[in-house]
Amino acid sequence: MGDALWDRVDVLADPCESNFAVTKFVAEPFNFLSAFGLILAGCNAMHQSRKYNFETRFMVLGFSVVVMGASSAFFHATLYQRAKSWEEMAIVWAAFGWICVLSQMNSPTNQTPCVAMVLSLGGGLWILQMGFDPQIILMGSRIFLNLYCAIGVYLLNDCVEKYCNLPLLLRRNKEYNFNPHPSMLKLQLMARWQVACAATAALVWILEVSFCGSLKNFQPHALYHLLIGLSCHYGLQFAMALRQSILHKAPPATSWSLGGLLGCVVPTEVPSRAMGAQLRWLLKIAGVDHLDNV
């Protein structure tokens, strides 16, 4: 530790990676680099929001994910306890922003979620400057994070059922659309990928805490970062695609790459390959199995 660049490592809960084992400049290089997945997901959402002229709420939500990734990267580079407090507050802020966006999905105005997210950021910064005990901040952030995640999953399920007429995970005692639009199925898939990545990340975190000594060489915390980054990506893309569909009263427009694994929102005005799938869906609804040659 004497050769380390950062000589004030005072974190209370050290993540599962050897400290300064690779370089003296970064305490945990794998965890540090994997945090950039969060930054990439947030920057991509901000770029799309500006490029496609989406609402300001998505710019703010993407920025919250960038702050979450940047604070996490700084913490894993230094292992400062104060940096850990910044990371925890950033995570809670991003989760709160997700709830604000989902709860106001059908709102005619864009101001409510933006104002709520900005005010919550100011409240979080005020709390950090009050000098509370780090254990209190950690405990409070975990309580709020679990609460926000539960509310967020409930709102996500409500959005999928209400606007896509499809179940998020399991079918309940409700009649769903037996001939769903292909675009709605892709939107449902985005929501499912978001939940699946988040649930897998939670499982990896539990295994990391329970078996850190055995799993340290496999970099479980870095894997946790990557899964959370994917979950944030799908959550941002789902929210933007659904909001544009509601505003334009058109099927959600998405574009999928990497063999249909990575989905992104595109403007509803831009034609895409989904038009072929939409035509096949219309023919299926009309009972036409094939078209005769002319």
Side-chain angles (χ1 to χ4, degrees), residues 78-156:
T78 62
L79 292 183
Y80 287 175
Q81 182 57 47
R82 190 168 182 82
K84 180 61 177 177
S85 299
W86 294 344
E87 181 192 29
E88 293 292 332
M89 295 301 298
I91 294 174
V92 172
W93 182 43
F96 178 75
W98 182 44
I99 291 177
C100 292
V101 170
L102 290 180
S103 62
Q104 298 293 317
M105 190 59 68
N106 199 28
S107 173
T109 178
N110 181 49
Q111 297 177 354
T112 304
C114 293
V115 171
M117 283 187 277
V118 171
L119 290 178
S120 64
L121 174 61
L125 293 175
W126 176 78
I127 291 176
L128 290 176
Q129 294 301 318
M130 289 295 293
F132 288 107
D133 184 85
Q135 286 283 39
I136 295 178
I137 294 180
L138 180 62
M139 184 183 305
S141 64
R142 294 292 168 82
I143 293 175
F144 277 104
L145 180 61
N146 291 330
L147 176 62
Y148 289 161
C149 286
I151 297 175
V153 172
Y154 172 80
L155 293 174
L156 182 64

Side-chain angles (χ1 to χ4, degrees), residues 158-176:
D158 184 67
C159 286
V160 174
E161 288 191 342
K162 182 177 180 179
Y163 301 109
C164 301
N165 197 22
L166 292 168
L168 175 60
L169 297 175
L170 301 176
R171 289 182 176 271
R172 300 191 295 180
N173 295 328
K174 177 182 176 181
E175 293 185 0
Y176 295 105

Side-chain angles (χ1 to χ4, degrees), residues 188-253:
Q188 178 200 41
L189 181 60
M190 275 188 175
R192 286 181 168 181
W193 270 114
Q194 179 189 3
V195 174
C197 289
T200 307
L203 177 61
V204 169
W205 183 81
I206 293 174
L207 293 175
E208 173 194 351
V209 173
S210 304
F211 308 100
C212 178
S214 303
L215 300 176
K216 181 173 291 188
N217 292 333
F218 296 96
Q219 308 301 334
H221 200 76
L223 177 59
Y224 166 81
H225 280 172
L226 296 176
L227 289 170
I228 290 296
L230 281 174
S231 180
C232 290
H233 168 77
Y234 284 113
L236 288 164
Q237 301 301 316
F238 170 86
M240 289 189 290
L242 180 57
R243 179 62 175 172
Q244 300 316 301
S245 174
I246 294 173
L247 290 178
H248 298 159
K249 296 180 173 59

